[in-house]
Amino acid sequence: MWSSRSHGHRIAALTVIGTAIVLPLVVFVLGPNMPPGKGTPVASSQVTDNTVLLVVMTPFTVFILVYLAYALVAFRAAKGEGLIDGPPTRGHFKAQVAWLATTTAAVLFLAIFGTAELLADNGAGGGGGPNPVAKPSGAVLPVQVIGQQWEFTYRYPTYGGVETASLVLPAGREIAFHVTSLDAVHSFWAYELGVKADANPGVDNVAYVRTKKPSTFQIRCAELCGLWHGYMSDTGRVVSPAAFSTWIAARRRQFAPIMKYLPKYASSYAPDPSYRAG
Amino acid sequence: MGTKLAVVIAGVLAVAVLIGFYIGLLAGGPTPYRVPTASAGGARSVDLTLETVAAVGSKLSPNKNWVSYLVREHGVWHRSTVWTLPANTLVHVTVYNFDGKSGLRNPFLAQARGVVGGSFAINGKATSSINPDDASHTFAIPSLGVIVPIRGVDDNAPQQCDYAPCPMSNAHETITFTFRTGKAGHYRWQCFVPCAAGFVYGFGGPMQTVGYMDGYVNVV
């Protein structure tokens, strides 16, 4: 029969060995493939965040699995042995202190790291409300995202306030998404861009992102918003600056007939209640 | 003891039947309508004839006061919003709208998109958009890029229809347009006008229930 000290040492040793094996796999194999990819600096930063979270949780996960496996093997009742109650559990000062210190250090590190990351990359793509704490220093292209049941539409205030049904962005530009809603709460999730910003009625939620090279990205609503929430999706495009100029000019011509009816561009809209809906 | 057990079993069975009946009522969606295909001059096309009404009436729904789309099948109006259409086919749509004006929450949706020629017709007159305040409904299949605003009947128009199916002698607007289905797929369609009377922001009830102002287009 091993002493409880021996069990503790074995579990600790197995945890260290297991962590040493798994951690490089997490850092070099799993980490680079974490979502949402590296479509923008914000998205790349989120990949790093996810990797750091995995690294921190790896030793704890390994410890729990080692403990479980060890208990199944070492504390298994022998064949024919009856049910024997174990010795009464007593406090173990060193173990308690070690556990509290380790978990406290992990939580504090993640709190500080998470706060720093939220401020980095001008808001981490999450939307910082109408007056974000962190803002890019250079020029930005504002694009308004309007959520409604059940479609996103987009306005480009620097191009006459034209509204479009599809989202196209120029490559290599700092974009300021102004996300709002006309009815229920939606969430504008541009997956590969690393942007996920809530769309609330009457609120201008600003999220910054810098586009890189031409690509496509998925757009989803990430807030359960009614019957067709699951269908509230589209594919956005990042195109070259020249292609963007051509595209936006074509949209201005296409939607010229409706422009006279659009409200003046504003940070949010409060449509009059229609007379039936009240 | 035996009597008590029998009562409990009977009670459980009765509750189970009631729950099953309730679920059946909820799950019992509209019957899909396969639109007949015609060929003319080598081009495949179908005619889809719809009606929009302010109140569907007790003959067609237990929710007689709900606003609804209806489809004409073999000359008879049905409350079906699940339609099967052939792929890569021109769909000629006619909507007889007997409902009044509710107004669009987003004026942008008052311009037609995704229709052949970029325009549609109201009572035979071609246009590409309407005043958003005049919208009664929209016909929209967002995934196909199709949206057409449906202009409402004037508030002061005579002989307004109370309950569907509405006779053509009642005040109505006739909207016609054509779109192409493209590749096969399962698409949803919806109305974008907050037209559900009596519901919060006009977007409850018939706007959140397949069979009234929402449905599917199965392109096969």
Side-chain angles (χ1 to χ4, degrees), chain B residues 93-215:
Chain B
V93 183
T94 302
V95 181
Y96 299 110
N97 178 37
F98 292 86
D99 198 2
K101 300 170 180 175
S102 292
L104 273 159
R105 191 160 280 143
N106 184 350
F108 172 65
L109 304 176
Q111 180 171 337
R113 281 182 270 131
V115 290
V116 174
S119 65
F120 62 106
I122 304 175
N123 301 326
K125 188 177 176 185
T127 184
S128 63
S129 62
I130 65 171
N131 184 327
D133 292 337
D134 292 343
S136 178
H137 306 288
T138 68
F139 175 94
I141 313 173
S143 296
L144 295 181
V146 175
I147 182 165
V148 176
I150 309 294
R151 193 172 74 180
V153 172
D154 280 338
D155 289 348
N156 299 324
Q159 289 188 288
Q160 298 206 21
C161 179
D162 291 327
Y163 290 102
C166 304
M168 296 306 287
S169 56
N170 281 161
H172 67 278
E173 300 278 316
T174 303
I175 286 80
T176 52
F177 57 93
T178 299
F179 71 95
R180 184 176 288 278
T181 51
K183 64 180 181 181
H186 185 61
Y187 308 98
R188 54 98 185 199
W189 69 265
Q190 70 163 97
C191 172
F192 274 100
V193 174
C195 58
F199 292 90
V200 175
Y201 296 123
F203 246 88
M207 293 296 288
Q208 303 273 352
T209 310
V210 171
Y212 295 89
M213 300 309 291
D214 307 87

Side-chain angles (χ1 to χ4, degrees), chain A residues 17 22 50 53 59 64 92 96 104 111-112 118 161 169 178 180 187 197 210 212 223 225 239:
Chain A
I17 294 168
V22 174
N50 288 332
L53 284 171
I64 291 166
H92 191 290
Q96 288 170 321
T104 301
I112 294 166
L118 274 179
L169 303 170
H178 293 260
T180 189
S187 182
R210 182 169 185 81
K212 290 164 82 174
E223 188 72 46
C225 60
V239 299

Side-chain angles (χ1 to χ4, degrees), chain A residues 163-179:
Chain A
E163 188 164 344
T164 67
S166 53
L167 178 58
V168 176
L169 303 170
R173 284 289 299 272
E174 192 77 49
I175 309 293
F177 286 119
H178 293 260
V179 184

Side-chain angles (χ1 to χ4, degrees), chain A residues 115-140:
Chain A
T115 304
E117 283 295 276
L118 274 179
L119 296 175
D121 295 319
N122 305 312
N131 296 300
V133 175
K135 298 177 183 178
S137 54
V140 297

